[in-house]
Amino acid sequence: MLIPHDTRIALETVVDLVNTAPESDTGDGLAELPALYAFAERHDISGVGTLGEKDLRAVQDVRDRFADIFAAPDARTAADLVNGLVAAAGTTPQLTNHDGYDWHVHYFAPDASVADHLAADCGMALAFIVVAGEQDRLRRCEAPDCRDAFVDLSRNRSRRYCSSRTCGNRLHVAAYRARRREAAR
Ligand SMILES: [Zn+2]
Ligand SMILES: [Zn+2]
């Protein structure tokens, strides 16, 4: 599956946003305004200007919608959710090659709020995944105490954990120790 650079970046933004949810083990990573500023900076969301409580609540709402799309049982459900999200945000497709990137399309409107910016551009990245028939790559980590969202971009769609270094490795070690204990009996 060929995923353009900007789509890949937008998907990383979606994953990061979904994983700030209050039910993740680190608590709500987007509870206060400074966290929203940090998030916008981390993901190069330019021109956000001064952010307020309204922006915070709107982004939290977009976060819930992205989580719903991750949980969508089929493409039809995902498509309806993406359509609703993108329509509400309003879009102005615009070709750009800023900052040395190849030509790609920005979808957010010029004066979009940070929430609408995220809904438009990340919503379209999720739309691209649905169009490619790859909606089942939007996954949750299978580690029982993690459940973080991730996008499985592996060739054979075999990824089960948010990170092989943390969750995958942790479970491997646990399984290995259990086998050793079993063998030592
Ligand atoms: Zn761009
Ligand atoms: Zn995990």
Side-chain angles (χ1 to χ4, degrees), residues 62-95:
V62 169
R63 174 175 71 184
D64 291 346
R65 309 264 217 123
F66 285 160
D68 289 345
I69 294 166
F70 260 79
D74 50 48
R76 159 62 55 196
T77 311
D80 287 344
L81 291 167
V82 170
N83 282 342
L85 185 65
V86 171
T91 57
T92 308
Q94 195 89 60
L95 272 160

Side-chain angles (χ1 to χ4, degrees), residues 6 96 98 101 104-106 121:
D6 51 315
T96 169
H98 66 97
Y101 291 116
H104 61 283
V105 180
H106 282 176
D121 272 44

Side-chain angles (χ1 to χ4, degrees), residues 2-177:
L2 181 75
I3 297 189
H5 164 84
D6 51 315
T7 303
R8 214 173 266 264
I9 287 180
L11 291 173
E12 281 169 17
T13 305
V14 172
V15 165
D16 191 20
L17 182 59
V18 169
N19 289 338
T20 65
E23 54 273 18
S24 86
D25 55 349
T26 43
D28 192 341
L30 214 61
E32 312 272 351
L33 265 180
L36 181 56
Y37 275 110
F39 179 85
E41 186 170 323
R42 195 155 73 237
H43 293 288
D44 259 332
I45 301 163
S46 53
V48 291
T50 308
L51 300 173
E53 290 296 323
K54 210 175 131 212
D55 291 298
L56 187 61
R57 277 192 302 278
V59 172
Q60 289 166 346
D61 183 55
V62 169
R63 174 175 71 184
D64 291 346
R65 309 264 217 123
F66 285 160
D68 289 345
I69 294 166
F70 260 79
D74 50 48
R76 159 62 55 196
T77 311
D80 287 344
L81 291 167
V82 170
N83 282 342
L85 185 65
V86 171
T91 57
T92 308
Q94 195 89 60
L95 272 160
T96 169
N97 64 347
H98 66 97
D99 297 321
Y101 291 116
D102 274 341
W103 288 105
H104 61 283
V105 180
H106 282 176
Y107 294 95
F108 62 93
D111 298 321
S113 67
V114 62
D116 284 348
H117 180 134
L118 285 166
D121 272 44
C122 296
M124 288 307 295
L126 291 165
F128 181 86
I129 291 292
V130 175
V131 168
E134 307 282 2
Q135 179 238 342
D136 65 342
R137 290 183 187 268
L138 306 176
R139 303 229 174 112
R140 291 272 177 183
C141 180
E142 287 182 25
D145 51 350
C146 177
R147 307 294 298 152
D148 269 2
F150 70 94
V151 181
D152 178 10
L153 296 178
S154 69
R155 192 188 294 256
N156 56 1
R157 2 175 138 219
S158 58
R159 216 174 123 191
R160 296 170 58 203
Y161 306 110
C162 62
S163 154
S164 53
R165 263 179 302 117
T166 55
C167 286
N169 192 42
R170 195 161 49 82
L171 288 192
H172 276 303
V173 169
Y176 174 75
R177 291 214 179 109

